[in-house]
């Protein structure tokens, strides 16, 4: 298994947005050249501008650009890239892509194709894990493709409530919660539809819904010399429609003993598929601290930064290191967890309107900064947020000594973050941080959907300032009238005054 | 200039008079203010008797959204005459006018679980719209009858397109 | 000396710019209310917008606003502030101010007035330190006010080259290097003039110029219970005209032994003046690792963040903690230095034109972000940089495992930092990071002025791309002509297009 | 459109022809480019045969400053006719025209160590200007004679004000 260390000179980043920028930054800091690929919508994107080279690979629709293996391999071969980093999403968990890279002599910065395959099909993964002695969530146990009829029959045995999940799944796509047989047909149809759209595969299976469970995952790293280590857990129970919204490291629910047990289990899971590079073992943990393997994500995870802040390891640099054939920079004994970190996913969606995605142009942007604040983003002022891609436009990561300090610091950072031109979920995060149950660490995966509201608590409602809102609106309205009158009243504007132009512009936009 | 300002969800109506630069009247009381707009369109700084407020404000017609210290206030501004007219119009229209379900963003219609003539309740799904790879359920804002359905499954729709009309 | 812990509720920040924002951020994260003060020029400044309350205290000239004790005390009393944080500069080292705060029952977040006085007069400080067994730089030994004649006589004894320094000094103001008697008169006149302007006190003294010396300083922290600890050193030799430009922690020149010796000396120096709160002992260290006390800054230092990153302590929060009467959160044994950190001061000045200060409006601003990057700044897009205040508009702080990683990361972060509308010294920092001597850690305080040039080295010159610069300029010029033609050719512009308006605006500004 | 582009300090003159959108001629050779301006005025992105360049560009008349990968390039752009005229004008003006020492920023004049009629050498101090609390020495750009001194110690001056003229 051991290979001679390969010197990379140039890395192609087969992704866009914040994760492409994240990888390019790591490469720059390692002195590596970078090749970006971009669709029509992304010509001016940060990842294009920050890379050493950039090549157009097609229309904005991912199916015709970021998801087309051949286009990406062509660019890699043309530019002499030694390696490809797939980021997350897109081609990152396509075994065929990892294999095609290997065939062309290009290092795929991720696990080998076999590991991806074994973990990619969720049914196969369940079997493999059970054989390796890893506990899995009870569910359908057939390896065959299941018809709606099969599933209805199996549902009785699994017992309600249960989850329909896509065999090719991930990211909550094609997933439905079902509480009774009556809901089954509708849920199956909609899950299959979403799975087909997302993965090109409408097959689904069933899992028992573990009530009151937390979603906790373990970061693992493996090298080509047979070492696998874990970097502790991440708490990811703050979700809405199976989309994670806020993650933290460590989990307020995990003690040293549980961490050691889950870590050992995750290492065993990775070893069972000869895992190399970074991966994440996702688990459900019930109220009694029993844990169940859910799935393994065979790629860099969105929320990897919280682990970086607490373990002080750069996971992307470590990925590149092991892809070059070098051993991991640390052994399990050398992994220490210090302090606390939290990540808020900043999404272009309207928390006051059922979290509907929001599109538009970022007319103004102020990033939070100062001690303990990290922003991983792929957008700058002037960028358009389209419906083609994921609504996540940034990750705000905050670290500090204790969970309490981190919550206060995150509140501070969120309130400094100003994104104008489209709606974001920043108010959601602020409301969440204010909720007493969140502060106390008392939540499970259903918390946001079932026990959280954007309406302020009675105590917080006392702090509302409707009179200030009224004054602000009246003054803004008044000023706008005045300015409109001014502009109309002149034949020629004083064009040397850039603020006036900006204001005039603003007015027209309203 | 005299404004009637209604802050929704908080049952407050304020009468605000703005004449001078540094002092306004709120429900007849003088309030010392210092109000400036920052470079970013929609960002404002307000000092009220020294207290500092940083707000994001946007509006459509008379409806203003003020995002202040993490909370969104929906504010309606009118002068008195307009307000009376609106109140009357609203009274007449309430529960009797049309409600239009529009596309909140561009997307593809996945399913239309309603048809014209069907009676529906507030909160019922009327359209499932796929956008950014997720299915979004658009719900009826009130009880009523489906008057018109403008789209079918598979249609691509633009933002703001009227999809279904409830009467 | 021990006092009962006082609960602060509200802190007045008697400063502006990045340090006011830094302090307000710390207060917010501690749940404290903040009161900002501002001059005419600063109505829209970040520190005004981020504070809970803000009060106008006069014209833009500091002498009529930020330097007027009574105005600031009035605001504190009016608002019921429990404490005042002075930041650095302005009133931070005025013993009279610390005393006035105490008289009004307001906690001064800094040392007591006596310590400030003893360290503030540089001549007294030299005596106090000598008595405490702390080595000082050889120089004039009289406690009296020295005339030009006295100084010329003393100069012969001190021997050339020497430094003229302001008795009330700090920040390189009123400081002149003198190599011979011939230069003496001119240098004295100019030093006295600058000292008078800066401190209202034209008295100066002489110190031997220690050639090839580094400027290395030790961060100390003291509480009201008699504990004084040090947080290791900062390397501050990268200076121009006695202004620090880049600092790092640790120093590449300091080993464990020297750190322990200098740390012990700094603690001794602080103890000699019963020091409470954060302070910095500045030293010169010669080639043979002999060190000499230069002066003690009795306040928070500009470059405190590099120490924060390496020791993982929040110095501002610690200042507030000890000002409340609580003991230091750590003992000397609990101070660990991990990794490396570096700070670049981002100044509004033109490195291609003798570093002349640059004023103007920030028309566009992109902050660097991502792993290991911290920005402490006091400006946002749209802010005007005036000649009233210090040209430092931000501090870019980078941390990582090793000095090598930090240099590469700083290069990456600097190249992401985009400030449009005025000149900054970012190109200077990039050129400095590229210099082999800097990379090797081989520099002293004269390095920037005497052995550094903005001209690229022969090796770097090979990498220049004049043809790309030519293409860029030609294309930009060409596009501008086209757009000008477009705009002129229309009677009415399509005002719904915000980009066009921005472009038109841009064109006019050129 | 044909441009003559001189990059200072690198002894390069390029002839650049821009007609099409995606292909330009540089000294007669075709070069594939993709050039866009970003929202921030003065920020541009250029792809040349796939290589990505992010630059800050500003100009005053025919003088362009291009900040690219941490290095500042001073670039002069002219069409051929203008260039010849300029060359001639420059030849005539060199070392014979007036040199004006102007204030690079607002400030207060601390000292004027020269007086009219005095002969000075390139690099001599002509003005000491205090700004942002520091003294800045303004030096003569060439040998010559002080023709005019417009300010005295203590004067406050605006940016670009002509302080001293060297003949």
């Amino acid at each position: 298994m051991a290979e001679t260390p390969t010197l990379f000179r140039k890395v192609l980043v087969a992704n866009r947005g914040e994760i492409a920028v994240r990888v390019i930054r790591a490469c720059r800091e390692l002195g590596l050249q970078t090749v970006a690929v971009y669709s029509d919508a992304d010509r001016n994107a940060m990842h294009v501008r920050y890379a050493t080279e950039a090549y157009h690979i097609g229309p904005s629709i991912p199916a015709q650009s970021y998801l087309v293996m051949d286009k990406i391999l062509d660019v890699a071969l043309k530019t002499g890239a030694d390696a490809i980093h797939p980021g997350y999403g897109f081609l990152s968990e396509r075994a065929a892509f990892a294999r095609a890279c290997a065939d062309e002599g290009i290092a795929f910065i991720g696990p080998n194709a076999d590991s991806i395959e074994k973990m990619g099909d969720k049914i196969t993964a369940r079997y493999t894990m059970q054989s390796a002695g890893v506990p899995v969530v009870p569910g359908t146990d057939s390896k065959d493709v299941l018809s709606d009829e099969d599933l209805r029959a199996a549902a009785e045995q699994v017992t309600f409530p249960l989850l329909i999940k896509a065999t090719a799944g991930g990211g909550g796509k094609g997933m439905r919660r079902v509480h009774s047989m009556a809901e089954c047909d509708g849920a199956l149809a909609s899950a299959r539809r979403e799975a087909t759209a997302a993965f090109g595969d409408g097959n689904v299976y069933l899992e028992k819904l573990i009530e009151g469970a937390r979603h906790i995952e373990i970061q693992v790293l493996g090298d080509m010399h047979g070492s696998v280590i874990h970097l502790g857990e991440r708490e990811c129970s703050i979700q809405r429609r199976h989309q994670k919204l806020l993650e933290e490291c460590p989990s307020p629910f995990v003690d040293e003993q549980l961490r050691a047990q889950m870590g050992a289990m995750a290492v065993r899971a990775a070893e069972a598929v000869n895992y190399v590079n970074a991966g994440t073992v996702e688990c459900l943990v019930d109220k009694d601290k029993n844990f169940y393997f859910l799935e393994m994500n065979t790629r860099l995870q969105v929320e990897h930064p919280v682990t970086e802040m607490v373990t002080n390891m750069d996971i992307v640099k470590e990925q590149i290191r092991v892809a070059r054939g070098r051993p991991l920079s640390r052994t399990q004994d050398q992994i220490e967890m210090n302090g606390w970190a939290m990540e808020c996913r900043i999404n272009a969606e309207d928390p006051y309107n059922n979290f509907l995605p929001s599109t538009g142009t970022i007319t103004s942007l102020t990033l939070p900064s100062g001690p303990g604040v990290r922003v991983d983003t792929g957008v700058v002022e002037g960028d358009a947020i389209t419906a083609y891609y994921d609504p996540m436009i940034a990750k705000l990561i905050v670290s500090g000594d204790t969970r309490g300090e981190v919550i206060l610091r995150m509140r501070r950072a969120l309130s400094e973050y100003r994104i104008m031109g489209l709606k974001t979920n920043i108010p959601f995060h602020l409301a969440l941080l204010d909720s007493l149950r969140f502060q106390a660490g008392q939540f499970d995966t259903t918390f946001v959907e079932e026990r959280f509201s954007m309406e302020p608590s009675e105590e917080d409602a006392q702090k509302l300032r409707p009179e200030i809102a009224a004054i602000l609106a009246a003054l803004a309205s008044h000023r706008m009238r005045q300015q409109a009158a001014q502009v109309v009243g002149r034949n020629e504007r004083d064009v040397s005054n850039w603020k006036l132009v900006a204001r005039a512009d603003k007015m027209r936009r309203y | 200039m005299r404004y009637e300002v209604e802050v929704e969800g908080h049952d407050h109506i304020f009468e605000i008079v703005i004449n001078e630069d540094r002092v306004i009247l709120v429900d007849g009381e003088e309030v010392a203010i210092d109000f400036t707009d920052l470079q970013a369109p929609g960002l404002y700084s307000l000092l009220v008797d020294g207290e500092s407020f940083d707000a994001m404000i946007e509006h459509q017609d008379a409806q203003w959204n003020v995002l202040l210290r993490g909370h969104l206030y929906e504010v309606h501004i009118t002068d008195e005459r307009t307000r009376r007219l609106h109140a009357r119009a609203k009274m007449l229209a309430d529960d009797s006018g049309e409600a239009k379900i529009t596309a909140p963003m561009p997307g593809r219609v996945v399913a239309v679980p309603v048809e014209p003539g069907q009676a529906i309740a507030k909160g019922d799904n009327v359209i499932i719209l796929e956008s950014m790879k997720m299915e979004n359920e658009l719900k009826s804002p009130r009880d009523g009858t489906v008057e018109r359905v403008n789209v079918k499954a598979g249609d691509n729709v633009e933002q703001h397109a009227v999809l279904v009309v409830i009467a």
Side-chain angles (χ1 to χ4, degrees), chain A residues 82-118:
Chain A
D82 313 291
I84 292 183
H85 195 302
Y88 52 70
F90 294 141
L91 299 174
S92 61
E93 294 183 286
R94 298 268 176 101
F97 185 60
R99 203 162 275 134
C101 288
D103 289 348
E104 299 288 359
I106 297 165
F108 178 78
I109 301 178
N112 54 55
D114 280 357
S115 309
I116 298 176
E117 234 153 32
K118 285 201 182 111

Side-chain angles (χ1 to χ4, degrees), chain A residues 206-409:
Chain A
L206 307 182
E207 262 182 18
K208 178 90 192 87
L209 182 73
I210 296 177
E211 292 184 275
R214 286 174 178 257
H215 179 126
I216 294 174
E217 61 188 26
I218 306 284
Q219 173 72 52
V220 298
L221 283 173
D223 64 22
M224 293 179 189
H225 308 277
S227 300
V228 179
I229 63 173
H230 74 88
L231 304 186
E233 82 283 5
R234 286 185 289 259
E235 167 66 68
C236 308
S237 302
I238 299 297
Q239 309 184 342
R240 196 186 153 276
R241 299 176 67 183
H242 305 288
Q243 299 286 334
K244 297 168 189 164
L245 291 167
L246 178 150
E247 302 96 344
E248 52 189 313
C249 174
S251 163
F253 190 66
V254 173
D255 52 31
E256 267 309 323
Q257 195 195 341
L258 183 57
R259 179 171 305 126
Q261 286 170 353
M262 290 184 71
M265 174 277 296
V267 168
R268 207 156 61 236
E271 284 173 345
V273 295
N274 298 315
Y275 203 82
V276 167
N277 218 289
T280 296
V281 178
E282 295 196 327
C283 297
L284 286 182
V285 182
D286 72 16
K287 286 166 189 155
D288 304 319
K289 304 205 172 176
N290 299 307
F291 55 87
Y292 305 93
F293 173 90
L294 259 184
E295 63 178 20
M296 181 168 185
N297 294 328
T298 55
R299 51 162 166 86
L300 186 64
Q301 194 88 327
V302 174
E303 57 270 25
H304 74 277
V306 290
T307 301
E308 294 186 320
M309 304 316 283
V310 168
T311 60
N312 208 19
M313 273 188 103
D314 188 317
I315 294 174
V316 177
K317 286 184 184 170
E318 206 69 22
Q319 283 193 296
I320 294 170
R321 182 187 171 90
V322 301
R324 287 174 51 197
R326 300 189 57 201
L328 287 166
S329 68
R330 298 195 209 170
T331 62
Q332 188 68 55
D333 292 346
Q334 292 167 323
I335 305 301
E336 257 186 79
M337 293 176 75
N338 286 309
W340 210 279
M342 199 174 274
E343 170 183 284
C344 287
R345 298 192 186 194
I346 308 301
N347 294 342
E349 55 190 26
D350 184 356
Y352 293 106
N353 188 12
N354 205 25
F355 291 87
L356 284 174
S358 171
T359 56
T361 294
I362 299 175
T363 53
S364 153
L365 178 65
T366 307
L367 295 190
S369 62
V373 174
R374 163 178 169 185
V375 183
D376 277 21
T377 184
V379 298
V380 294
E381 209 169 282
D383 282 358
I385 307 305
T386 66
Y388 293 117
Y389 309 112
D390 197 278
M392 192 184 77
I393 55 175
K395 302 183 313 203
L396 172 56
I397 304 120
V398 151
S399 58
D401 278 352
T402 60
R403 186 164 191 266
E405 182 180 44
V406 164
I407 289 175
L408 284 160
R409 182 166 277 171

Side-chain angles (χ1 to χ4, degrees), chain A residues 149-163:
Chain A
E149 203 169 333
D150 298 335
L151 290 162
R152 272 192 302 270
E156 297 281 12
Q157 289 184 304
V158 173
T159 74
F160 295 96
L162 54 75
L163 277 178

Side-chain angles (χ1 to χ4, degrees), chain A residues 241 418 423 465 478 510, chain B residues 3 40 54 58-59 73 135:
Chain A
R241 299 176 67 183
R418 299 288 152 77
K423 315 275 188 191
R465 303 294 292 269
H478 186 71
Y510 275 104
Chain B
Y3 299 90
D54 215 32
E58 47 164 37
H59 82 121
Y73 299 84
E135 294 191 357

Side-chain angles (χ1 to χ4, degrees), chain A residues 62-76:
Chain A
Q64 294 176 35
S65 49
Y66 296 108
L67 282 168
V68 185
M69 296 189 207
D70 287 347
K71 288 187 176 180
I72 288 166
L73 284 169
D74 279 353
V75 173

